[in-house]
Amino acid sequence: MNLFNLFGGTSRQQPTKSEAPAHWVKCPSCNSLMYYKEVENQNYVCPKCGHHMRINVDKRIALLADEGSFVEFDAELAPIDPLKFVDKKSYVKRLEEGEKKTGRRSSVVSGECKMNGVNVQLCVFDFAFMGGSLGSVEGEKITRAIHRAIEKKQGVVIVSASGGARMQESTYSLMQMSKTSAALARLGEHKLPFISVLTDPTMGGVSASFATLGDVIIAEPGSLIGFAGQRVIKQTIGSDLPEGFQRSEFLLEHGSIDMVVNRNELKATIADLLRMMLPSSADHDAQ
């Protein structure tokens, strides 16, 4: 009989690492150790140095959409495996792992919401699902959101966080670049705004298509944005790259994006832009 049983107590195992609450967060930029709640209250922006940590889709939607206003569309759409693709794992297995990890069938969540009272079609990439890669389902969700915006005379906001096109779908994935770009061209013909929000990271085919076609292109501070990786570019051109190359601030300085906006000011900034850019009748309907 152990000491606990002798006095009528019960022994309790220590919680595992996954079960134990993470009370402290270390900033990957300045290495400051901070209380988790302090960082959470700042929407995962480091209060010491301003570094923007990556956040998941649910937190992103809660940050941008008015409370209780987000309605998801097309959640039932799921990718197929037309090429029977296998690398280290089969594509089917990777999709299963992505769904188990995120609870979703694709890397894009699309829906309608209000931002400070303005109706908008919102699409958000989930980097946790296969690196936020762009496949046929993701392209279809974005295109449908654009069509809804045209029908309802609303703006479109796409928050990108992606490694690029999904190689397991090959040409099917690459076609989504032109498909979404063509849909955005129709949105422009109807004089409706598209605001592109680039977060860390936005790379590959996503940055080479709709992500850089916004009427206004906004980036979060310090976000990695580009097409090819820095190592590939350096090897190709045979010279060193400038400091801060492919980061938000560098791109703003060289005219590739329009604004760098702190995460805590993003919702108000987007809502103000939508009010200015929407046709008067649509803006009236949004109020």
Side-chain angles (χ1 to χ4, degrees):
M1 180 179 295
N2 62 33
L3 191 61
F4 283 101
N5 291 333
L6 181 63
F7 291 97
T10 57
S11 61
R12 186 173 68 88
Q13 292 183 342
Q14 291 293 323
T16 64
K17 187 175 180 180
S18 60
E19 294 171 337
H23 293 302
W24 300 94
V25 176
K26 186 176 182 180
C27 175
S29 178
C30 67
N31 294 321
S32 297
L33 196 62
M34 297 159 290
Y35 185 50
Y36 174 79
K37 286 293 182 182
E38 181 183 10
V39 179
E40 185 180 40
N41 290 338
Q42 292 295 319
N43 293 316
Y44 300 90
V45 176
C46 175
K48 308 293 185 182
C49 70
H51 174 75
H52 283 51
M53 305 174 191
R54 295 178 183 178
I55 58 176
N56 62 32
V57 170
D58 293 330
K59 289 184 175 68
R60 179 69 66 180
I61 293 173
L63 179 71
L64 294 177
D66 293 351
E67 185 175 358
S69 70
F70 184 78
V71 178
E72 185 176 358
F73 291 98
D74 306 316
E76 74 285 355
L77 294 182
I80 57 175
D81 184 17
L83 304 179
K84 309 301 178 186
F85 192 95
V86 178
D87 50 286
K88 291 183 178 179
K89 300 177 183 178
S90 69
Y91 183 34
V92 172
K93 180 66 175 177
R94 291 188 184 277
L95 291 172
E96 291 173 352
E97 290 176 350
E99 184 173 357
K100 182 178 180 180
K101 184 178 182 180
T102 64
R104 299 181 178 88
R105 293 180 165 186
S106 72
S107 65
V108 166
V109 176
S110 65
E112 183 177 341
C113 68
K114 290 179 181 291
M115 290 188 188
N116 287 347
V118 181
N119 291 312
V120 63
Q121 295 295 322
L122 175 65
C123 298
V124 181
F125 274 79
D126 186 354
F127 194 77
F129 191 103
M130 294 189 68
S133 51
L134 175 67
S136 54
V137 168
E138 289 74 19
E140 179 66 15
K141 283 188 173 185
I142 292 170
T143 302
R144 290 188 184 187
I146 295 168
H147 289 166
R148 287 195 300 271
I150 294 172
E151 180 182 347
K152 298 183 178 183
K153 297 181 180 178
Q154 298 173 352
V156 174
V157 175
I158 301 178
V159 183
S160 300
S162 174
R166 186 172 299 171
M167 70 173 191
Q168 290 86 353
E169 293 189 16
S170 186
T171 306
Y172 293 93
S173 175
L174 296 178
M175 288 171 61
Q176 307 312 309
M177 297 169 62
S178 59
K179 176 178 178 177
T180 52
S181 298
L184 286 171
R186 291 195 293 273
L187 185 76
E189 291 172 359
H190 286 79
K191 309 298 182 184
L192 296 169
F194 164 45
I195 297 177
S196 179
V197 180
L198 313 181
T199 68
D200 184 56
T202 300
M203 300 293 291
V206 169
S207 70
S209 56
F210 59 84
T212 49
L213 292 177
D215 297 305
V216 178
I217 304 174
I218 302 173
E220 286 191 337
S223 297
L224 179 66
I225 302 164
F227 182 68
Q230 294 188 32
R231 179 176 55 83
V232 174
I233 297 173
K234 184 177 179 179
Q235 290 175 347
T236 302
I237 66 175
S239 62
D240 292 332
L241 300 172
E243 184 178 354
F245 179 71
Q246 291 186 323
R247 294 292 174 178
S248 303
E249 293 75 13
F250 184 91
L251 297 178
L252 177 64
E253 183 180 346
H254 290 79
S256 296
I257 62 176
D258 299 303
M259 307 170 71
V260 175
V261 178
N262 186 288
R263 181 178 294 161
N264 295 312
E265 300 171 1
L266 198 56
K267 179 180 178 179
T269 301
I270 295 173
D272 289 344
L273 287 170
L274 288 172
R275 286 195 179 94
M276 287 189 292
M277 299 170 70
L278 280 166
S280 56
S281 59
D283 185 50
H284 178 75
D285 294 339
Q287 302 304 315

